[in-house]
Amino acid sequence: MAKANVLIVEDEKEIAELIRFHLEREEFSTRTVYSGRVALEAVSREPPVLILLDLMLPDGRGSDLLAEGSELSGSTVVVVITGEQGLD
């Protein structure tokens, strides 16, 4: 059985590594990217089953990535992860 593919979009490398470690321990396949632009490229090459998306990225907001992400299939689940306070 193939492992579920998870894309981690997180610019803080320590946080991304912690998430990756725990997912791979549970036998998920992971890819980690550190910017929205690279995330869009990764999604277009191989759409993941799940995207863990930070809202605060060096090249824009994660929510902008969702708006641009026409490559996301209807079966891709996006979970927003953020340390940002005061979300509207």
Side-chain angles (χ1 to χ4, degrees):
M1 176 186 241
K3 295 180 180 182
N5 185 19
V6 178
L7 178 63
I8 303 164
V9 185
E10 170 60 65
D11 63 319
E12 294 197 34
K13 293 185 185 211
E14 297 82 15
I15 294 171
E17 179 62 22
L18 182 63
I19 294 168
R20 184 203 58 77
F21 171 79
H22 286 286
L23 287 170
E24 289 183 356
R25 188 177 70 183
E26 296 299 323
E27 300 189 14
F28 288 92
S29 172
T30 64
R31 288 181 292 161
T32 303
V33 298
Y34 305 102
S35 75
R37 180 186 55 76
V38 177
L40 283 173
E41 293 169 5
V43 167
S44 68
R45 282 193 308 269
E46 183 182 349
V49 173
L50 172 66
I51 299 174
L52 297 176
L53 177 63
D54 184 11
L55 285 184
M56 298 182 295
L57 298 169
D59 58 348
R61 294 186 48 80
S63 56
D64 296 338
L65 176 68
L66 289 174
E68 296 174 24
S70 60
E71 295 86 5
L72 296 176
S73 72
S75 63
T76 299
V77 175
V78 179
V79 175
V80 173
I81 55 175
T82 188
E84 186 173 344
Q85 296 181 1
L87 293 175
D88 296 330

